[in-house]
């Protein structure tokens, strides 16, 4: 318990000190954040709830021409009735812009949930309208310890009330193929507001997930936190490709 609390404090300290580091990231755009996630999970066998601390970061690095490499990752630290695991996840995206309004590309992710090793590859696309970003992706992955194949299709819409105020909503379907096949659905809604004349923002997200196949799983999660953005506004960050899907976004196993 004390070890995990110490680790959480260290990670939050790193997030708070990130703005000084971010000043040297010339030409790149991204963010680093810290949050608390509360989840309430119910199944046919009963229910439980718990809170975890989450640290996340992302950066979009322009390459030659219209190409961009995006790296993002997060660490979730839990010590509750749902889990006592520390889960580290990361993703790398390679995308290109077609004109000024479309971004397409692919990604690979790696995660370590519950002492398992989960990896995935996928394809993604974004359409940029004036104040709206539409995102879609498909992915295939495997859970090595569970010997399971994983599939997902996800979509999201982001509406920018202003360059520094974003509302978003999304939905996803995931399938687990193993000894017992299961479908999982989830929907989410959230937003982020960046304070004037500063890189700091606050964000929140609600996610509901359910599966009739997984012991009638029904879960609700709320995530709230703060974030520091370097290199531009929230809209700049979005259009630069710094807000692409994370490993925790896939398969309905997490929220961002």
């Amino acid at each position: 318990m004390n070890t995990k609390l110490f680790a959480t404090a260290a990670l939050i300290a790193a997030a708070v000190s990130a703005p000084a580091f971010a000043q040297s990231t010339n030409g790149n755009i991204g963010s680093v954040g810290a949050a608390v996630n509360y989840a309430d999970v119910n199944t046919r066998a009963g229910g439980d709830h718990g809170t975890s601390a989450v640290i996340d970061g992302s950066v979009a690095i322009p390459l030659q021409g219209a190409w961009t490499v995006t790296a993002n990752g997060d660490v979730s630290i839990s010590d509750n009735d749902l889990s006592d695991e520390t889960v580290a996840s990361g993703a790398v995206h390679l995308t290109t812009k077609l004109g000024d309004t479309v971004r397409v590309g692919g990604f690979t992710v790696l995660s370590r949930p519950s002492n398992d090793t989960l990896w995935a590859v996928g394809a993604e696309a974004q359409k940029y309208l004036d104040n709206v970003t539409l995102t879609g992706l498909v992915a295939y992955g495997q859970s090595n310890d569970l010997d399971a194949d994983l599939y997902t299709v996800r979509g999201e819409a982001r509406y920018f009330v202003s360059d520094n105020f974003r509302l978003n909503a999304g939905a996803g379907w995931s399938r687990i193929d193993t000894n017992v096949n299961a479908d999982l659905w989830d929907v989410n809604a959230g937003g982020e507001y960046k304070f004037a004349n500063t890189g700091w923002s606050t964000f929140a997200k609600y996610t509901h997930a359910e599966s009739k196949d997984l012991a009638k799983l029904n879960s609700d999660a709320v995530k709230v936190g703060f974030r520091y953005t370097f290199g531009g506004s929230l809209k700049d960050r979005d259009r630069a490709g710094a807000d692409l899907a994370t490993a925790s976004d896939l398969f309905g196993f997490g929220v961002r």
Side-chain angles (χ1 to χ4, degrees):
M1 175 71 172
N2 291 335
T3 301
K4 291 191 174 181
L5 288 177
F6 176 81
T8 303
L11 286 170
I12 292 175
V16 171
S17 64
F21 166 79
Q23 300 303 320
S24 64
T25 56
N26 296 330
N28 305 327
I29 186 168
S31 67
V32 61
V36 174
N37 186 65
Y38 172 81
D40 182 65
V41 179
N42 292 280
T43 67
R44 186 186 299 115
D48 236 322
H49 57 86
T51 302
S52 58
V54 184
I55 301 296
D56 66 68
S58 69
V59 61
I61 304 171
L63 302 178
Q64 186 174 9
W67 291 91
T68 299
V69 168
T70 301
N72 54 43
D74 57 70
V75 177
S76 175
I77 302 172
S78 303
D79 193 356
N80 53 59
D81 293 335
L82 285 175
S83 171
D84 61 356
E85 300 287 341
T86 297
V87 180
S89 304
V92 177
H93 306 250
L94 178 62
T95 61
T96 187
K97 292 185 73 175
L98 306 178
D100 293 327
T101 63
V102 175
R103 180 182 298 277
V104 296
F107 59 89
T108 181
V109 305
L110 182 68
S111 184
R112 288 279 297 171
S114 301
N115 296 318
D116 192 4
T117 299
L118 187 155
W119 63 265
V121 294
E124 60 197 332
Q126 290 187 318
K127 172 66 176 178
Y128 302 134
L129 305 174
D130 185 23
N131 293 318
V132 174
T133 298
L134 302 175
T135 300
L137 66 83
V138 295
Y140 166 79
Q142 288 188 347
S143 168
N144 291 339
D145 292 359
L146 295 178
D147 191 24
D149 294 316
L150 309 170
Y151 307 87
T152 191
V153 179
R154 308 194 64 81
E156 184 182 48
R158 301 171 185 165
Y159 174 66
F160 289 88
V161 180
S162 69
D163 285 359
N164 285 312
F165 181 21
R166 186 198 73 240
L167 301 174
N168 49 271
W173 166 83
S174 302
R175 182 173 178 83
I176 304 171
D177 280 351
T178 181
N179 295 332
V180 177
N181 298 332
D183 293 325
L184 177 72
W185 297 87
D186 68 273
V187 294
N188 62 77
E192 183 172 359
Y193 177 79
K194 184 168 173 285
F195 301 102
N197 302 317
T198 177
W200 293 102
S201 63
T202 183
F203 64 92
K205 188 174 185 179
Y206 165 77
T207 299
H208 173 78
E210 58 183 61
S211 173
K212 294 181 180 179
D213 304 316
L214 294 175
K216 292 188 177 181
L217 171 73
N218 191 300
S219 72
D220 296 282
V222 177
K223 187 176 184 181
V224 294
F226 63 90
R227 181 169 286 130
Y228 185 88
T229 296
F230 54 89
S233 66
L234 298 187
K235 191 174 182 180
D236 292 334
R237 195 180 78 198
D238 173 84
R239 300 298 164 94
D243 284 346
L244 299 176
T246 69
S248 298
D249 290 330
L250 298 181
F251 308 116
F253 295 152
V255 295
R256 182 179 193 274

